[in-house]
């Protein structure tokens, strides 16, 4: 399915403006396309107990399952001014489960496969009885 990257980037930036980030002041928005064409979003949510912060990509994956599940095929992560961000290490792992190694992640140089950002990932095939 065709991915409208300009629309995904704009939606990620727009969603970032809704983030709750009073401590770091870094508002982050994530927009993703699902295999069936659905478009989903997430934003970061911080807490006075700093370690409880939820990243934008975690909200995105929650939105995936809350809206019917499936596989994410493309993700853009942006700040409100439209700057591109790369998912943190934990979020790369979370996105791997939701989209697999071929999931396209937007970068400043254009989309790359998640496998390039998280090579040799630990997945369910590494669990006993799941290989
Ligand atoms: N953050 C995300 O939302 N996604 C990432 O991939 C990296 C970091 C958020 C967490 C925190 O609210 C703020 O950015 C600063 O680390």
């Amino acid at each position: 399915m065709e991915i409208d990257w300009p629309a995904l980037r704009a939606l990620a930036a727009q969603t970032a403006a809704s983030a709750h980030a009073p401590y770091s002041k870094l508002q982050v928005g994530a927009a993703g396309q699902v295999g069936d064409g659905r478009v989903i979003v997430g934003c970061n949510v911080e807490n006075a107990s700093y370690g409880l912060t939820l990243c934008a990509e975690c909200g995105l994956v929650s939105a995936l399952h809350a809206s019917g599940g499936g596989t994410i095929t493309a993700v853009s992560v942006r700040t409100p001014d439209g700057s591109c961000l790369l998912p943190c290490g934990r979020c790369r792992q979370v996105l791997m489960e939701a989209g697999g190694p071929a999931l396209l992640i937007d970068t400043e140089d254009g989309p790359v496969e998640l496998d390039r950002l998280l090579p040799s990932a630990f997945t369910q095939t590494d669990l006993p009885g799941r290989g």
Side-chain angles (χ1 to χ4, degrees), residues 11-85:
L11 185 59
Q14 181 191 319
T15 304
S18 300
H20 177 68
Y23 308 108
S24 75
K25 312 279 191 218
L26 178 63
Q27 291 183 298
V28 183
Q33 185 164 313
V34 186
D36 62 8
R38 255 154 59 230
V39 172
I40 52 175
V41 296
C43 63
N44 58 328
V45 180
E46 297 182 349
N47 191 280
S49 178
Y50 294 171
L52 301 184
T53 289
L54 306 174
C55 283
E57 297 90 330
C58 292
L60 183 76
V61 172
S62 180
L64 168 73
H65 292 287
S67 65
T71 302
I72 307 184
T73 56
V75 171
S76 180
V77 184
R78 300 264 157 175
T79 59
D81 69 2
S83 300
C84 183
L85 293 174

Side-chain angles (χ1 to χ4, degrees), residues 57-58 61 87-100 103 114 117-124 126:
E57 297 90 330
C58 292
V61 172
C88 73
R90 179 178 187 269
C91 289
R92 293 178 194 198
Q93 180 72 28
V94 170
L95 288 169
M96 182 64 78
E97 178 107 2
L103 167 58
L114 179 56
L117 302 179
L118 187 67
S120 307
F122 180 90
T123 69
Q124 60 177 265
D126 296 301

